[in-house]
Amino acid sequence: MPLDNPFYSAEQQGPYELVSIGRFELAEGGVIPDLELAVATYGELNEAKDNVILIPTWFSGTHATWWQVYIGPGRALDPTRYFIVVVNQIGNGLSTSPHTTDDPEIAMSRFPHVRIGDDVRAQEILLRQVWGIERLALVVGGSMGAQQTWEWAVRFPDKVLRAAPIAGTAQITPHDVLFVRTLMDALTSDPGWAGGDYAAHTDVADGLRRHADIWAIMGLTTDFWKSGYWKTIAPVVEGLGWETFEDFQQNFTRLLFGLMDPNALLTMGWKWQRGDVARLTGGDLAAALGRITAKVFVMPIEQDMFFPPQDCEPEAALTPGAEVRMLHSIAGHFGLFGFEQTYLDEVDSALTELLAHQV
C-alpha cells in the first residue's frame, strides 16, 4: 500500500498531471509495469510544435521550484511564448516512486534501479506519444536536471536544438560519488529505515536529519554562512524563522529534507552516482560529447562544491560549439533555489541569448 506523505501533493508542489507511458524496461534489467510520470505544463503548444522547452527535475526537487522561481511572462522561460514541460524524474516522489506505487513487486525496498538514461528515454516517449513532439527548442535543467540535459543532447542529438545544463556535469566525478555515498549512508544507517520497508518517512527522522546536515555543509558555501546572508531568506513556514545560523539549519535544511521520503532520495542518489553520457560511447567522453549538435551553454555556479566550474568547463571544451556562461551565487549549489535576483538575472540573460541563437 502506498505511504501517505503530504509533501508530495499538488497542494505542496503545485498542480501536475500523472501520465502513464505503460510498461517501461530499465537499463539495469528491472521493469516498472506501469510508469506514471508527474508532468506540469505551462503555455500552449503551437501548431508547428517548435516552441517546446523541456525541464527535467533535480535531486530531491520537483516542478515546484521551476514555476515558483524561473518561469513567467517576460522571463526567458516565458509561457506566453513557449510550451514548457517540466517532467519529474522517476522515483522523485511524484512520478512512480518506491513509496507511491501500489504494485507490491516494486514497492519500497523492491523498487528497481533507475539510471539517468531511463529518465531521458521515458521523457522522449512521453513527449512523442502524448503531444507528437519530435524536436525541442531547449532542454534546460539544474544539477541532476543538468545530467539529464546532457544525456538528452548526447542520446537524441537530432531532437535537441539547444541545451543548457546548469550546475551539473555530463560525467560523474569521484568527488560526487563519495559525496552521494555519505548522503545515502546517512539514511540507510538509521535503524528506522528497516532495509527500505519503513512504515512512514518519519520512522527515518534521524537519518533524514543527518542527510540534511550534510547538505547544509556542502550545498551552501562558507560565505553564505559567515556573511549572514541566510538572514535575508524568507521562512519556509510562517512562524519558523531564524535568528542564528543554527536556527536556519533547523528550520530550512532539516525542515525541508525531514518532509521527504528516504527511498525516493535513495533512488535518485543511486542514479546521480552513475550519471555518465560516456556509457553511450563505450566509455569515451570526448566521443559522446562530440555527438552533440545542439547549441550548448554550459552554466556552472562559481562557488558550487558539487559541480564546480573546473569540472564543467573541460566538458564544454569537448562539446562542439559550446560556450560557458558562469553564474554567481553566494549560496553555491543551493543558488539553484534563486535566493538572489542577480543570479536569476544571469540565468535569464543566458537563456534568452541561447533561445535567440539560430540553429
Side-chain angles (χ1 to χ4, degrees):
M1 179 181 295
L3 302 186
D4 180 45
N5 185 332
F7 179 76
Y8 302 104
S9 66
E11 290 74 24
Q12 293 291 320
Q13 304 300 331
Y16 66 92
E17 181 181 2
L18 279 175
V19 181
S20 171
I21 63 168
R23 176 184 170 86
F24 190 74
E25 297 184 0
L26 300 163
E28 290 295 305
V31 174
I32 298 177
D34 182 22
L35 176 57
E36 292 185 311
L37 297 175
V39 184
T41 63
Y42 311 89
E44 300 293 333
L45 180 64
N46 64 16
E47 187 174 353
K49 299 183 180 179
D50 62 359
N51 69 331
V52 182
I53 294 175
L54 173 68
I55 304 174
T57 58
W58 58 59
F59 179 88
S60 81
T62 70
H63 59 285
T65 305
W66 287 97
W67 70 261
Q68 291 169 345
V69 175
Y70 292 92
I71 297 171
R75 305 283 302 279
L77 303 178
D78 188 339
T80 69
R81 297 184 59 194
Y82 299 103
F83 181 54
I84 303 169
V85 183
V86 187
V87 183
N88 289 272
Q89 64 172 289
I90 301 167
N92 84 326
L94 292 181
S95 292
T96 298
S97 301
H99 78 280
T100 66
T101 180
D102 57 7
D103 184 339
E105 295 298 317
I106 61 169
M108 301 298 283
S109 65
R110 292 165 293 284
F111 201 75
H113 288 314
V114 182
R115 283 189 175 270
I116 296 288
D118 294 322
D119 280 297
V120 170
R121 289 191 301 109
Q123 292 158 17
E124 192 275 336
I125 293 169
L126 169 84
L127 294 169
R128 178 166 39 83
Q129 291 188 351
V130 175
W131 293 287
I133 294 168
E134 295 288 350
R135 301 191 84 187
L136 299 168
L138 172 67
V139 183
V140 55
S143 193
M144 278 191 73
Q147 289 181 303
Q148 293 167 75
T149 298
W150 280 113
E151 181 86 15
W152 258 102
V154 173
R155 185 180 285 268
F156 298 114
D158 58 325
K159 292 178 178 284
V160 181
L161 296 180
R162 303 171 188 85
I166 303 173
T169 56
Q171 185 177 69
I172 194 69
T173 64
H175 175 268
D176 269 11
V177 172
L178 295 173
F179 166 70
V180 179
R181 185 181 299 164
T182 65
L183 287 174
M184 297 169 79
D185 287 348
L187 298 171
T188 59
S189 61
D190 186 334
W193 182 62
D197 290 317
Y198 45 86
H201 75 281
T202 51
D203 292 350
V204 200
D206 286 343
L208 288 167
R209 176 183 53 76
R210 292 194 295 268
H211 183 96
D213 289 350
I214 297 167
W215 276 108
I217 295 166
M218 292 293 292
L220 293 158
T221 69
T222 58
D223 286 343
F224 175 89
W225 291 107
K226 71 182 180 182
S227 70
Y229 187 86
W230 46 269
K231 297 175 184 177
T232 69
I233 297 172
V236 177
V237 175
E238 187 174 354
L240 287 180
W242 31 75
E243 295 183 1
T244 68
F245 66 86
E246 290 98 338
D247 291 340
F248 181 85
Q249 179 188 24
Q250 179 63 41
N251 293 335
F252 188 86
T253 49
R254 285 182 177 178
L255 185 153
L256 283 176
F257 282 103
L259 298 172
M260 298 178 190
D261 181 79
N263 279 337
L265 295 172
L266 291 166
T267 297
M268 290 181 281
W270 192 92
K271 70 173 91 165
W272 177 359
Q273 285 184 307
R274 291 159 179 82
D276 184 2
V277 298
R279 293 184 70 247
L280 300 172
T281 52
D284 188 333
L285 180 62
L289 296 179
R291 294 175 53 171
I292 294 175
T293 59
K295 180 62 180 178
V296 179
F297 277 9
V298 176
M299 299 168 61
I301 297 175
E302 188 178 42
Q303 295 192 67
D304 190 343
M305 287 188 279
F306 303 139
F307 301 102
Q310 58 264 36
D311 290 337
C312 299
E313 290 172 332
E315 294 182 343
L318 293 174
T319 304
E323 300 180 40
V324 175
R325 292 293 183 272
M326 190 69 65
L327 303 175
H328 303 85
S329 171
I330 196 171
H333 194 70
F334 274 17
L336 288 166
F337 282 103
F339 297 135
E340 301 137 297
Q341 187 60 48
T342 51
Y343 161 86
L344 294 174
D345 290 344
E346 289 179 344
V347 172
D348 276 344
S349 176
L351 294 182
T352 297
E353 179 187 356
L354 180 57
L355 284 162
H357 187 88
Q358 295 300 311
V359 291

